[in-house]
């Protein structure tokens, strides 16, 4: 295995290597799907290149509800195969990335015995399909126990609840771990490099930073894993201009934990009968998500006031709390889900199944799917790639090889428990390296550049550190010290550091535009 450190100072060398070599496979898209494919293919011994137009996980893969869950609701839709795969993949991810699979009790309030019985049947099936260990099977609790566990829950119409364990993750860090693992197995990877042209023997990648870099990449096969931008990449090929994707928008609101002091991940029934989640994470609780069709593949889709009120009113109806004021919202994030178009269905009814398409010109496109099942999805794609190439390849081993940060148990002695929880959840067994370097914002920002491929301040603030969402004041106080640390490595002058800070502040301001402070 080669070095897993993604050093943003090596961009020119990486582009030169992309230009010089001939690859078996070029992957377009550095979200969870593309990262998983690159990792799997490289571990099987294929020569792999991966290009990402913005930053790793900068689209849907950093805007999810941050859960590795079995998709219990898909049982109700009769999608047994999807549930089985997602439920089984949870256990695999837990094995290869224990720091990115934090066990949390999920709590579903019940209104009557019939509902309890129906949920138990579904969960029993789910546990059988996913090989859930005996100690982690669901339990039914009565009203008194529910009130003890979750004193904020309004219980006047309830008879109890069903509890079952699921996993919470940091979605952007999971993508990053896969990209680093891909490089460690020999893949050549680069972010901020858009596929600007498909050629007969590969593609042209053009830097989206102001560094005048680019490469003509020769590859025997190209896989389009661009998520919400799959149709845009397909459109680079003549005759492939039809639209196959349907996008939906989801938003999440982050509040201080003391404002919503819950102990479990609560599944709340919204007025339109959809389920939303209230999730405790360190010093914060986040609430989401909405699911409405969205026109256009935006990196920062603008939420509507209806989106915000939908989550606030549903939360207030389920919990005994004072009305939540806009000024109490720490941060909010929004994103688009890349779904396969199914005309006539509502956004929340569209299947999360993945599909693979091959164009007459040979471009393989993968779309749809769930974060929880990304590894299995990647395995299917790489099986197809190996078959198409007629290559001799090693068997798939992604289910057994730990991801970076997931090899050893984490020991962080002497730290505040919340700080230790945060560091362990982000860095796993590499957390001590942050502490040795000073344990502060500057230490994180330096590592983001030298080991995690962060080339902009946004890369660090949003996706490497999660401070944009889960820090007091939306992490704005971290921007200046982070810009200073990154600038020293990336040779930013004062004007560049200032513009990087302004850009991040604009992202925060725009996300809060509809909030009456």
């Amino acid at each position: 295995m080669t070095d897993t450190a993604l050093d943003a100072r090596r961009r020119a060398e990486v582009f030169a290597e992309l230009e010089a070599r001939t690859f078996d496979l070029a992957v377009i898209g550095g979200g969870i799907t593309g990262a998983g494919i690159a990792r799997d293919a490289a571990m099987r011994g294929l020569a792999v290149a991966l290009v990402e137009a913005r930053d790793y996980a900068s689209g849907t893969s950093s805007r999810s509800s941050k859960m590795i869950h079995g998709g219990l609701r898909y049982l109700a839709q009769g999608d047994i195969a999807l549930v089985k795969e997602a439920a089984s993949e949870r256990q695999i991810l837990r094995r290869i990335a224990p720091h990115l699979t934090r066990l949390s009790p999920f709590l579903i309030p019940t209104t009557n015995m019939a509902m309890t019985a129906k949920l138990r049947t579904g969960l029993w099936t789910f546990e059988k399909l996913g090989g859930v260990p005996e100690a982690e099977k669901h339990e039914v609790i009565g009203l008194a126990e529910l009130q003890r566990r979750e004193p904020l829950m309004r219980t006047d119409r309830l008879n109890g609840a069903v509890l079952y364990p699921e996993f919470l993750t940091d979605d952007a860090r999971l993508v990053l771990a896969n990209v680093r693992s891909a490089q460690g197995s020999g893949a050549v990877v680069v972010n901020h490099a858009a596929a600007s042209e498909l050629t007969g023997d590969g593609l042209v990648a053009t830097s989206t930073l102001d560094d005048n870099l680019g490469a003509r990449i020769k590859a025997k096969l190209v896989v389009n894993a661009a998520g919400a931008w799959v149709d845009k990449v397909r459109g680079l090929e003549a005759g492939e201009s039809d639209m196959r994707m349907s996008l939906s928008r989801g938003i999440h609101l982050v509040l201080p934990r003391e404002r919503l002091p819950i102990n479990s991940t609560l599944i709340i029934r919204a007025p339109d009968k959809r389920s939303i989640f209230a999730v405790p994470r360190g010093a914060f609780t986040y609430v989401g998500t909405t699911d409405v069709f969205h026109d256009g593949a935006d990196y920062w889709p603008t939420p509507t006031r209806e989106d915000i009120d939908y989550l606030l009113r549903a939360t207030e109806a389920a919990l005994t709390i004072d009305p939540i004021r806009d000024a109490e919202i720490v941060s909010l994030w929004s994103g688009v889900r890349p779904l396969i178009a199914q005309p006539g269905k509502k956004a929340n009814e569209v299947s999360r199944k993945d599909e693979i398409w091959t164009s007459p010109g040979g471009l393989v496109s993968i779309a749809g799917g769930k974060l929880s099942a990304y590894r299995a999805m990647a395995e299917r794609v790489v099986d197809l790639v190996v078959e198409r190439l007629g290559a001799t390849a090693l068997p798939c081993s992604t289910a057994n090889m730990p991801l970076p940060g997931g090899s050893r148990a984490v020991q962080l002695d002497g730290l505040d428990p919340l700080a230790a929880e945060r560091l362990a959840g982000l860095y796993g067994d590499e957390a001590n390296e942050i502490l040795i370097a000073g344990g502060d914002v500057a230490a994180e920002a330096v590592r983001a550049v030298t080991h995690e491929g962060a080339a902009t301040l946004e890369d660090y603030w949003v996706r490497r550190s999660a401070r944009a969402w889960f820090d007091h004041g939306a992490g704005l106080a971290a921007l200046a010290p982070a810009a200073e640390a990154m600038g020293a490595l990336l040779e930013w002058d004062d004007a560049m550091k200032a513009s990087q800070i302004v850009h991040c502040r604009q992202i925060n301001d725009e996300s809060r535009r509809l909030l009456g402070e």
Side-chain angles (χ1 to χ4, degrees):
M1 178 174 278
T2 57
D3 193 358
T4 65
L6 306 173
D7 193 333
R9 298 168 297 180
R10 292 189 62 249
R11 283 179 66 79
E13 296 168 50
V14 173
F15 274 98
E17 187 174 1
L18 288 169
E19 180 86 40
R21 290 177 55 185
T22 296
F23 296 91
D24 296 313
L25 172 66
V27 180
I28 299 172
I32 192 62
T33 305
I37 291 167
R39 176 184 190 236
D40 190 330
M43 286 172 66
R44 294 201 210 187
L46 300 183
V48 179
L50 178 139
V51 297
E52 160 55 45
R54 300 284 184 106
D55 182 30
Y56 307 121
S58 57
T60 310
S61 296
S62 57
R63 320 297 176 83
S64 74
S65 296
K66 309 190 187 305
M67 297 173 180
I68 301 295
H69 63 120
L72 188 60
R73 74 184 178 91
Y74 305 121
L75 268 182
Q77 298 170 357
D79 212 334
I80 301 295
L82 187 66
V83 174
K84 182 173 183 180
E85 181 172 89
S88 303
E89 286 297 309
R90 290 157 73 245
Q91 300 300 336
I92 291 173
L93 265 179
R94 180 188 204 173
R95 189 166 65 241
I96 66 173
H99 60 305
L100 294 170
T101 45
R102 180 165 62 88
L103 202 61
S104 171
F106 277 43
L107 186 149
I108 309 177
T110 54
T111 54
N112 53 57
M113 293 301 289
M115 181 183 179
T116 304
K118 186 177 178 182
L119 276 171
R120 293 203 73 177
T121 302
L123 281 162
W124 181 83
T125 308
F126 169 76
E127 289 161 354
K128 281 283 187 190
L129 291 172
V132 173
E134 192 64 39
E136 293 172 12
K137 293 191 172 172
H138 72 277
E139 61 174 311
V140 175
I141 60 174
L143 208 52
E145 178 64 8
L146 172 59
Q147 289 164 337
R148 188 189 70 78
R149 285 177 182 252
E150 299 295 344
L152 286 186
M153 183 74 73
R154 292 185 193 272
T155 56
D156 47 320
R157 297 181 183 174
L158 304 180
N159 72 328
V162 175
L163 276 166
Y164 68 104
E166 285 279 26
F167 299 106
L168 302 175
T169 192
D170 185 301
D171 46 9
R173 300 290 305 189
L174 181 60
V175 174
L176 181 68
N178 275 272
V179 174
R180 288 181 58 201
S181 178
Q183 178 175 288
S185 296
V188 182
V189 304
V190 67
N191 55 354
H192 300 285
S196 53
E197 182 186 342
L198 292 176
T199 60
D201 61 351
L203 61 97
V204 174
T206 306
S207 175
T208 52
L209 300 179
D210 190 19
D211 54 15
N212 297 313
L213 294 171
R216 187 182 181 95
I217 302 171
K218 295 181 287 296
K220 298 170 189 172
L221 192 63
V222 177
V223 167
N224 168 16
W229 295 268
V230 156
D231 280 338
K232 182 179 179 182
V233 172
R234 287 178 57 246
L236 295 175
E237 198 172 40
E240 291 295 302
S241 59
D242 62 312
M243 305 302 282
R244 300 190 181 182
M245 303 301 297
S246 175
L247 306 179
S248 80
R249 181 180 65 252
I251 79 157
H252 295 76
L253 310 175
V254 182
L255 292 150
R257 182 80 170 268
E258 59 260 29
R259 186 61 174 88
L260 280 184
I262 57 175
N263 301 304
S264 312
T265 293
L266 305 183
I267 300 177
I268 294 169
R269 191 90 154 163
D272 63 356
K273 305 292 189 262
R274 282 186 65 251
S275 292
I276 65 169
F277 298 98
V279 186
R281 174 167 162 159
F284 304 93
T285 298
Y286 63 95
V287 179
T289 177
T290 57
D291 197 354
V292 292
F293 284 122
H294 185 83
D295 188 20
D298 302 326
Y299 275 97
W300 298 103
T302 305
T304 65
R305 186 67 226 190
E306 288 76 16
D307 290 339
I308 296 164
D309 288 340
Y310 174 86
L311 295 178
L312 292 179
R313 301 298 86 81
T315 305
E316 291 162 356
L319 304 175
T320 311
I321 54 172
D322 292 332
I324 298 166
R325 293 177 292 110
D326 284 1
E328 296 177 292
I329 297 171
V330 175
S331 59
L332 64 96
W333 73 85
S334 61
V336 290
R337 298 177 191 84
L339 308 175
I340 312 296
Q342 290 181 280
K345 289 198 172 186
K346 294 179 185 174
N348 64 305
E349 294 171 344
V350 175
S351 171
R352 269 48 174 175
K353 276 182 184 168
D354 58 280
E355 288 188 13
I356 301 171
W357 312 308
T358 304
S359 74
L363 176 70
V364 175
S365 296
I366 171 81
K370 281 173 56 65
L371 175 67
S372 304
Y374 85 89
R375 193 210 61 83
M377 190 161 68
E379 183 176 348
R380 287 195 294 276
V381 174
V382 179
D383 285 345
L384 174 67
V385 167
V386 169
E387 185 184 320
R388 287 277 303 279
L389 292 174
T392 302
L394 298 169
C396 176
S397 58
T398 55
N400 303 309
M401 186 74 70
L403 285 164
S407 297
R408 300 182 302 278
V410 186
Q411 282 284 11
L412 296 173
D413 299 325
L415 273 188
D416 165 80
L418 285 178
E421 181 186 321
R422 176 182 174 272
L423 277 180
L426 291 176
Y427 300 100
D429 60 34
E430 298 175 331
N432 273 312
E433 294 172 38
I434 298 292
L435 294 177
I436 291 165
D440 56 3
V441 166
E444 293 178 4
V446 165
R447 186 171 182 85
V449 172
T450 60
H451 286 72
E452 300 172 348
T456 73
L457 184 58
E458 179 198 318
D459 295 349
Y460 163 74
W461 175 61
V462 177
R463 290 171 291 276
R464 302 302 183 278
S465 69
R467 289 187 182 275
W469 318 140
F470 301 109
D471 196 1
H472 300 290
L476 295 179
L479 293 177
E484 202 61 43
M486 294 180 75
L489 295 168
L490 297 171
E491 300 180 356
W492 293 345
D493 59 19
D494 287 345
M496 183 64 165
K497 285 184 277 193
S499 73
Q500 292 279 329
I501 291 170
V502 166
H503 170 70
C504 292
R505 286 188 168 277
Q506 285 174 339
I507 290 171
N508 183 64
D509 290 347
E510 185 58 28
S511 75
R512 302 184 70 85
R513 189 171 53 81
L514 295 171
L515 299 178
E517 298 296 332

